[in-house]
Amino acid sequence: MTQTSQNNSTGTEGERYVQHVMGTTERAERFYRDQMLDHLNTEMRAFIARQEMLFIATADGRGECDSSFRAGPPGFVHVIDDRTLAFPEYRGNGVFASAGNMSQNPHIGLMFLDFLRDRIGLHVNGRVKIMEDERLRSHVRDLPLPEVPGQRAQMWVLVQVEEAYIHCRKHIPHLRKVGAEEDWGTDDTLRKGGDFFGARQENAARRAAP
């Protein structure tokens, strides 16, 4: 969901078209009117501050999409004000698929899902800017510091909020946390999951084939 350029109303042309075909225009209008904000209200900011996971969606300059997962201690996504938040990019596989997309296409979709306490979700859509840790920290004095070894932010994703709205709990499972076993910053293959899906083995076999 984003604002259309033609009439500055909520929702894309594609959304409006499918709503018309499916006969949900009136229902969608109620959702736009009642549930969508162009900022983070007090309840949303408090919700984000206690989350330990985040799903993100990005696309490159050609519109080819990628989704990814981020995690950290409560507050790792830092709400700067009601229209701005930031989350760290920790050490990963070195591919930088999300950051690469953001360097070409500044739009991002965030999905916060609370499986443990509130069993509710929050969508946040906006525009991004990638910033170095030192540069952002010089402007945002209360930016979170690393809590465990290996958790240093390599960069920060600064998000200017354009839309924020609820994701209903209807199909969100209620989970229970059983313990913390994070291995921040590790290069140990097995601790990172190894070749869980067999991709390395399959690629090696293909390369070895005559």
Side-chain angles (χ1 to χ4, degrees), residues 111-171:
M111 168 69 85
F112 298 91
L113 285 174
D114 189 334
F115 299 98
L116 305 176
R117 170 180 155 172
D118 300 304
R119 243 185 86 241
I120 204 74
L122 174 65
H123 294 264
V124 179
N125 297 328
R127 297 176 67 87
V128 302
K129 178 187 295 185
I130 298 174
M131 298 187 69
E132 300 87 355
D133 182 81
E134 296 79 5
R135 183 182 174 196
L136 183 59
R137 202 170 293 280
S138 67
H139 295 287
V140 183
R141 300 296 183 182
D142 57 345
L143 202 63
L145 292 167
E147 294 187 12
V148 293
Q151 198 190 38
R152 183 180 64 83
Q154 294 187 309
M155 64 186 77
W156 287 84
V157 178
L158 189 68
V159 181
Q160 298 297 322
V161 177
E162 295 178 338
E163 295 177 341
Y165 55 94
I166 192 172
H167 185 94
C168 77
R169 63 167 50 98
K170 186 176 180 180
H171 298 294

Side-chain angles (χ1 to χ4, degrees), residues 25-180:
T25 298
E26 185 177 344
R27 181 149 50 101
E29 288 289 352
R30 286 198 303 272
F31 184 86
Y32 292 147
R33 182 186 66 239
D34 297 340
Q35 294 294 341
M36 295 193 68
L37 298 176
D38 63 357
H39 62 280
L40 302 171
N41 65 17
T42 301
E43 290 77 11
M44 292 173 176
R45 297 197 297 273
F47 178 83
I48 292 172
R50 58 178 178 265
Q51 299 311 305
E52 299 179 52
M53 65 181 73
L54 167 67
F55 300 89
I56 69 174
T58 59
D60 65 15
R62 297 178 298 179
E64 296 187 6
C65 302
D66 182 74
S67 61
S68 194
F69 173 74
R70 299 292 183 270
F76 84 102
V77 179
H78 183 65
V79 179
I80 298 172
D81 56 47
D82 65 350
R83 295 181 184 272
T84 318
L85 60 79
F87 65 88
E89 289 284 74
Y90 296 134
R91 178 186 174 89
N93 57 18
V95 173
F96 293 109
S98 300
N101 284 347
M102 288 182 264
S103 71
Q104 295 183 334
N105 180 346
H107 299 280
I108 193 169
L110 311 180
M111 168 69 85
F112 298 91
L113 285 174
D114 189 334
F115 299 98
L116 305 176
R117 170 180 155 172
D118 300 304
R119 243 185 86 241
I120 204 74
L122 174 65
H123 294 264
V124 179
N125 297 328
R127 297 176 67 87
V128 302
K129 178 187 295 185
I130 298 174
M131 298 187 69
E132 300 87 355
D133 182 81
E134 296 79 5
R135 183 182 174 196
L136 183 59
R137 202 170 293 280
S138 67
H139 295 287
V140 183
R141 300 296 183 182
D142 57 345
L143 202 63
L145 292 167
E147 294 187 12
V148 293
Q151 198 190 38
R152 183 180 64 83
Q154 294 187 309
M155 64 186 77
W156 287 84
V157 178
L158 189 68
V159 181
Q160 298 297 322
V161 177
E162 295 178 338
E163 295 177 341
Y165 55 94
I166 192 172
H167 185 94
C168 77
R169 63 167 50 98
K170 186 176 180 180
H171 298 294
I172 298 177
H174 194 180
L175 306 181
R176 183 175 60 186
K177 193 170 184 178
V178 296

